[in-house]
Amino acid sequence: MSGGDAKKLVRSPSGLRMVPEHRAARSPFGLDEPPWVPDKECPRCMQCDTKFDFITRKHHCRRCGKCFCDKCCSKKVPLPRMCFVDPVRQCAECALVSQKETEFYDKQLKVLMNGATFFVTLGTSDKSELMVCRLSNNQRYLVLDGDSHYEIEITQISTVQILTEGFTPGGGNTRAIGMILQYKVPGSEEVMQMKFTASEDISCNKKLSASWLAAMHKATKLLYESRDQ
């Protein structure tokens, strides 16, 4: 999984980006740079409707590509999903989304890569296997290691259902205790299912398992958003 993961520094109109040399090696959570709204089609700020002139300059949001005045597009925020090296100019709405995603890249992505231990049940089997589950360093595979070994392409995952306990009708805290994952087998239309259950063994860290599941839930949301754009 590491042979084709080399990266290169490229300059785009939006800034410097560190991208994989081969497009096939790109992160499944990544987003393509948007096309910019042409200057000639944007005489006014697309947020506050201020008219552009030689004093009021226009700026493009690096995330959505729309055209804004400086006041409406002044924030420079990290945008790791587009592989930017430095924070880039974004409109207020996009900046808010990117700021929330930064937490995933700074914290939850590391949790996924470090891994956690679960009992894994394949399909309708009544047997489970204790396995360490983690996200590969290139973010493209879910790796499961025990007596058996599995590598599931993240792009082939179709659904993720997080299993919880502790919910009460009147409200209350819930705790993630497992998940059901469905994915397509490459080269076929067959859909496989795996069930992950946090171990009750005192030697396994249930808090770590819950954190890993929460991070996986966030990762799934980003994955679906990437597919829609």
Side-chain angles (χ1 to χ4, degrees):
M1 291 186 297
S2 59
D5 297 335
K7 295 185 177 183
K8 60 182 178 180
L9 189 65
V10 299
R11 181 179 292 278
S12 73
S14 301
L16 287 173
R17 301 170 67 220
M18 184 65 75
V19 300
E21 286 190 353
H22 304 286
R23 184 173 176 81
R26 63 174 289 181
S27 167
F29 305 114
L31 296 175
D32 290 328
E33 283 189 88
W36 283 8
V37 174
D39 287 351
K40 62 182 179 180
E41 296 179 11
C42 189
R44 295 177 177 274
C45 174
M46 300 179 76
Q47 177 64 40
C48 69
D49 205 37
T50 296
K51 185 177 180 179
F52 295 123
D53 53 31
F54 66 95
I55 296 177
T56 304
R57 297 179 57 195
K58 59 186 66 175
H59 301 277
H60 286 88
C61 172
R62 272 51 175 173
R63 186 181 179 107
C64 68
K66 295 180 180 179
C67 207
F68 303 92
C69 67
D70 182 70
K71 182 178 179 181
C72 294
C73 193
S74 61
K75 293 187 177 182
K76 289 192 175 183
V77 179
L79 187 47
R81 293 187 74 183
M82 291 184 190
C83 303
F84 284 109
V85 174
D86 300 310
V88 291
R89 187 185 292 268
Q90 299 177 56
C91 66
E93 183 177 349
C94 286
L96 186 60
V97 174
S98 294
Q99 285 170 339
K100 291 180 180 179
E101 291 174 352
T102 297
E103 180 183 354
F104 171 76
Y105 278 85
D106 287 347
K107 298 179 182 179
Q108 293 160 320
L109 195 56
K110 294 176 183 177
V111 171
L112 290 175
M113 290 180 176
N114 287 336
T117 303
F118 298 93
F119 280 111
V120 179
T121 307
L122 182 62
T124 57
S125 173
D126 57 357
K127 296 182 179 179
S128 60
E129 181 179 340
L130 192 63
M131 307 188 82
V132 175
C133 308
R134 63 179 179 84
L135 188 67
S136 64
N137 290 337
N138 60 16
Q139 306 167 19
R140 295 173 54 219
Y141 296 88
L142 185 61
V143 181
L144 289 74
D145 278 310
D147 290 336
S148 306
H149 176 82
Y150 299 98
E151 292 181 8
I152 302 171
E153 287 190 58
I154 294 295
T155 55
Q156 298 298 321
I157 294 175
S158 52
T159 62
V160 173
Q161 177 187 356
I162 302 298
L163 306 176
T164 61
E165 68 175 7
F167 177 78
T168 58
N173 295 327
T174 60
R175 180 171 66 93
I177 59 171
M179 72 175 178
I180 296 176
L181 180 151
Q182 292 183 326
Y183 63 97
K184 290 184 178 180
V185 178
S188 75
E189 292 300 315
E190 183 181 6
V191 177
M192 299 291 289
Q193 178 173 297
M194 282 186 172
K195 182 178 181 181
F196 298 68
T197 306
S199 172
E200 294 298 323
D201 190 331
I202 193 170
S203 66
C204 295
N205 192 328
K206 290 190 288 185
K207 183 177 180 181
L208 176 60
S209 297
S211 297
W212 194 93
L213 290 167
M216 188 64 187
H217 185 242
K218 177 63 176 177
T220 304
K221 287 185 175 181
L222 293 184
L223 182 63
Y224 292 156
E225 290 171 10
S226 299
R227 291 171 177 171
D228 293 339
Q229 297 188 34

